[in-house]
Amino acid sequence: MAQALGVEAKEGLERSCADAAIGDRIVSAPGGSGIERIEARFQGNAFELHRHDTYAIGVTLQGVQRFHYRGALRHSLPGQAIVLHPDELHDGGAGTEDGLRYRILYLEPSLLLDCLDGEPLPFVRDAVVDDPRLRDTLLSALAPLDEELDDLFVADFVAQLAQQLRRHAGKPAKSTGKTAWRAAALARDYLEENAERPVRSDELEAVTGLDRYALSRHFRATYSTSPHRFLLMRRLQKARRMIAEGESLAEIAAGAGFSDQSHFNRHFKKAFGMTPGRWAALVGAGATRSVVAQARGAVFRRDAQCRRPFR
């Protein structure tokens, strides 16, 4: 495997200055919600043996991550995930002279326990996991690192992560039972009606009667997306309408419910494959061509009428 993460897996990490020649450092993301996120860059040994009372789950981005865990020496390559169980001794550092870069989150076990309905915490025996699905789920929370995690996003993220940890712990897939169509529809209607403001999970719990993790599962089963993603797309659809009406991108970002223009730009590009500015230019060009075509048609019809012989 290459010594750097592939382009596809790097999506969303553009603003992290991955190629900058920076020495050892740790960058922390805005905290909250029982999840702490960091990016670390190291040459040589970084951490001596230690342990913490959270899960440590991350993705190696560049270099080789070398660490001791449960009596064995482990190595993680770019694109591979690391899953360390709470209260397990481990150390860490770069496995080659090229240095190491990775992102990791520390997840309070209580969040998973709330999602597991009384099941014990899943124990993943293989600390290094080569699984694109798990990697991409983790990167959804780890990139970009400079934004706080939305409450609806956290609920869906923990639900998805719990399922994947259970799978790698060798536990059978958990059935959601009969899909709660009515609850999912109530949540959808509420999200549409409140798309321009932050919606919290406890609001949807009150509306649907389901806890946030069950709602995430049933919403996905019904609409093939998460409540967080559904709300985001409603905002982006409004943004496209505002672009077509010629409003400025700064006004659109605020009017569509985004925290700032960079936040809006990132989500727009991720959803539609181009920046809002590029979309605006194309929409504007199309509108101009339409107006010109209509004007030319009117002139042609007028000229044709003028050329008609008198009867």
Side-chain angles (χ1 to χ4, degrees), residues 7-240:
V7 173
E8 181 178 349
K10 272 188 174 180
E11 184 177 357
L13 295 173
E14 297 95 333
R15 289 186 289 166
S16 63
C17 303
D19 297 325
I22 300 176
D24 292 2
R25 66 178 299 188
I26 293 176
V27 178
S28 296
S33 304
I35 300 176
E36 179 186 0
R37 299 169 294 151
I38 69 168
E39 175 176 311
R41 303 166 187 248
F42 292 110
Q43 300 281 339
N45 292 330
F47 299 106
E48 297 182 0
L49 284 171
H50 65 287
R51 57 188 176 185
H52 27 74
D53 62 353
T54 64
Y55 277 95
I57 310 175
V59 179
T60 302
L61 301 178
Q62 292 178 321
V64 178
Q65 190 164 184
R66 178 181 182 274
F67 62 102
H68 292 87
Y69 178 76
R70 294 182 61 81
L73 179 61
R74 322 282 179 136
H75 296 86
S76 172
L77 302 179
Q80 293 182 323
I82 292 176
V83 181
L84 306 181
H85 201 73
D87 210 36
E88 291 285 348
L89 277 171
H90 60 279
D91 58 9
T96 69
E97 295 181 355
D98 295 331
L100 166 67
R101 174 175 168 255
Y102 65 94
R103 289 191 174 187
I104 195 164
L105 60 85
Y106 300 97
L107 178 70
E108 291 184 8
S110 60
L111 286 182
L112 277 184
L113 289 173
D114 290 342
C115 186
L116 292 171
D117 296 328
E119 287 188 11
L121 291 172
F123 177 75
V124 179
R125 187 170 299 277
D126 296 325
V128 178
V129 180
D130 197 355
D131 178 1
R133 288 173 57 193
L134 176 58
R135 178 201 66 204
D136 292 345
T137 295
L138 291 171
L139 288 180
S140 72
L142 291 169
L145 209 62
D146 58 352
E147 292 180 7
E148 291 190 32
L149 298 180
D150 179 86
D151 181 67
L152 283 184
F153 172 85
V154 170
D156 187 66
F157 171 76
V158 173
Q160 294 298 304
L161 184 60
Q163 290 182 2
Q164 294 183 36
L165 292 180
R166 290 183 79 260
R167 177 165 54 90
H168 284 288
K171 296 184 178 182
K174 190 174 182 180
S175 173
T176 59
K178 185 178 179 180
T179 302
W181 306 102
R182 176 60 177 163
L186 288 172
R188 182 184 188 277
D189 291 345
Y190 188 84
L191 290 169
E192 279 195 316
E193 294 168 1
N194 297 275
E196 296 173 16
R197 67 172 183 83
V199 176
R200 294 188 56 81
S201 294
D202 53 9
E203 295 178 58
L204 294 182
E205 289 176 332
V207 168
T208 65
L210 296 177
D211 72 67
R212 63 196 62 193
Y213 305 115
L215 175 60
S216 175
R217 294 193 296 269
H218 288 288
F219 198 96
R220 278 186 176 275
T222 305
Y223 299 113
S224 297
T225 192
S226 68
H228 173 264
R229 178 69 177 164
F230 180 85
L231 182 66
L232 176 64
M233 291 307 298
R234 302 292 74 72
R235 292 174 178 172
L236 290 172
Q237 286 179 343
K238 178 177 180 180
R240 290 204 303 187

